Amino acid sequence: MKQKVQNWIDGVLFEYLVPTGIQRRLSRRAILYTLYGVFNTVLDLGVFYVATEWVRMGYIPSATLSFLAAATSGFILNKYFNYRDESSQVAFQYGVYCAVSFFGLLITYLFLYFFIDILGLHRMVAKAVTSLILAVYGYFAHTHITFRSHRPTL
């Protein structure tokens, strides 16, 4: 089943959604990380929106809940389908992934506080801008810490 998903990602998702010029300039890993990041950002923003607008949670608990959903999804997608990591130390690696991501969550809290409480931005705009900033941090941190034995390939 995993091989069928990987074949679909390589054959359909990667080949048809990513222009050839981008494929030549960036590694497959960076492109897939970006595509998975877009998915996880939508998941993150969706959970954040539902938690703040429908459930009426504060923005810090909502950000925590959306973080947990996106971090778990991100780990699964990147470990198995991007880095194709076969390590049997899944629990340890998930712990490292969550620790790196948790540091990103702390940065998220700081940015949200700054954007919402200091600058007065709408919480969804603040969350979207913060998510873009954290995407850059996440790519480099997870590539060089979480999945460091799996260097990018062209």
Side-chain angles (χ1 to χ4, degrees), residues 115-135:
F115 290 143
I116 296 169
D117 293 335
I118 307 258
L119 296 183
L121 292 178
H122 187 275
R123 62 183 165 262
M124 291 306 295
V125 173
K127 180 66 171 150
V129 170
T130 300
S131 294
L132 290 174
I133 294 167
L134 267 288

Side-chain angles (χ1 to χ4, degrees), residues 10-75:
D10 289 340
V12 176
L13 183 68
F14 189 76
E15 295 298 326
Y16 291 108
L17 289 181
V18 181
T20 306
I22 292 174
Q23 289 181 29
R24 280 184 278 193
R25 288 181 180 84
L26 296 174
S27 70
R28 174 190 175 281
R29 184 156 298 142
I31 293 168
L32 286 178
Y33 189 89
T34 301
L35 291 174
Y36 296 154
V38 168
F39 172 79
N40 286 318
T41 299
V42 170
L43 177 64
D44 187 19
L45 290 172
V47 171
F48 184 79
Y49 178 80
V50 168
T52 57
E53 300 297 324
W54 293 0
V55 181
R56 300 283 185 211
M57 292 172 66
Y59 69 81
I60 296 295
S62 297
T64 304
L65 184 63
S66 66
F67 159 79
L68 291 172
T72 301
S73 171
F75 175 76

